[in-house]
Amino acid sequence: MKTPAHFLKASKHLRSDPVLGPHVLKHGHCTIAPKSEDPFTMLVRCVVSQQISTKAANSIYAKLLTAVTRMTPKHLSAATEEAIRAAGISGPKQKSLRAIAEQVTLNPGFLKTLPTLDDDAFRAAVTAIKGIGPWSADMMLMFGYGRLDVLPVGDFGIRAAVKDLYAMSDLPTPLQLTAIAEPWRPFRSVASWYLWRIRDTK
């Protein structure tokens, strides 16, 4: 579990960056907090959240939870296509949710193994599930498990913030973003949080 001391150390480290540092001071302490949800629920929420706002995702998840009554692999698998669609879940996302339920059902130890994996092994494990991409894996690492050195190179908000901060003509590629973020190690999750704040207040 990460403590305020971790974030204080991260903020101190990031303040030394000549470009990001002033924004660290402006936006105060990072407030990333690992969620108390179980890994299965986190996987489901990641799929629900893809390409929509946080507010919309929370609303749809609440409707989905009502439709399945309990968020477990068994209950999700038993829910009808019509009930899940009525909650606002698209066809492709339905397939992803059922793939998650199938993976967990066929591999009972899968969820228990996830917290023990390093970041790269975690990404490989969850992206093997249909519909779970690198962005979803990174969100789980950051907000599900509180990992401090995750850089979601495919996140539009982060790329757009870096483009503006560094006066780039185009959005940075994953390789460019990784190079720019190298000085932020081992606190790239915290740096990402500040980049989102910069984007939100633009």
Side-chain angles (χ1 to χ4, degrees), residues 13-55:
H13 175 78
L14 296 172
R15 284 200 301 270
S16 66
D17 185 273
V19 178
L20 187 62
H23 298 277
V24 174
L25 290 170
K26 176 181 177 180
H27 292 283
H29 293 303
C30 173
T31 57
I32 292 177
K35 297 182 183 299
S36 59
E37 296 169 338
D38 64 278
F40 180 73
T41 297
M42 284 192 278
L43 282 167
V44 170
R45 278 191 175 273
C46 277
V47 170
V48 171
S49 300
Q50 290 171 357
Q51 298 181 326
I52 60 176
S53 70
T54 300
K55 182 178 180 180

Side-chain angles (χ1 to χ4, degrees), residues 131-183:
I132 301 290
W135 180 86
S136 295
D138 286 344
M139 294 304 104
M140 283 191 69
L141 285 169
M142 292 175 69
F143 297 105
Y145 295 106
R147 302 283 178 93
L148 288 176
D149 196 34
V150 178
L151 180 68
V153 295
D155 185 89
F156 176 81
I158 289 175
R159 295 172 70 205
V162 168
K163 175 181 177 291
D164 292 342
L165 278 180
Y166 290 83
M168 302 175 72
S169 57
D170 297 302
L171 291 173
T173 66
L175 285 176
Q176 289 173 321
L177 182 54
T178 300
I180 289 170
E182 189 63 27

Side-chain angles (χ1 to χ4, degrees), residues 6 33 43 60 62 76 83 93-94 96 98 112 123-124 133 148 172 185 194 199:
H6 289 90
L43 282 167
I60 291 173
L76 183 58
K93 287 188 178 182
Q94 278 206 46
S96 297
R98 296 197 186 280
K112 290 183 179 180
R123 291 187 185 96
L148 288 176
R185 288 179 181 272
Y194 284 110
R199 186 67 181 168

Side-chain angles (χ1 to χ4, degrees), residues 65-95:
L65 187 57
T66 299
V68 303
T69 67
R70 287 181 61 196
M71 191 50 68
T72 66
K74 180 179 178 180
H75 286 78
L76 183 58
S77 297
T80 65
E81 182 178 337
E82 291 74 19
I84 297 178
R85 186 188 303 116
I89 305 294
S90 66
K93 287 188 178 182
Q94 278 206 46
K95 292 179 180 178

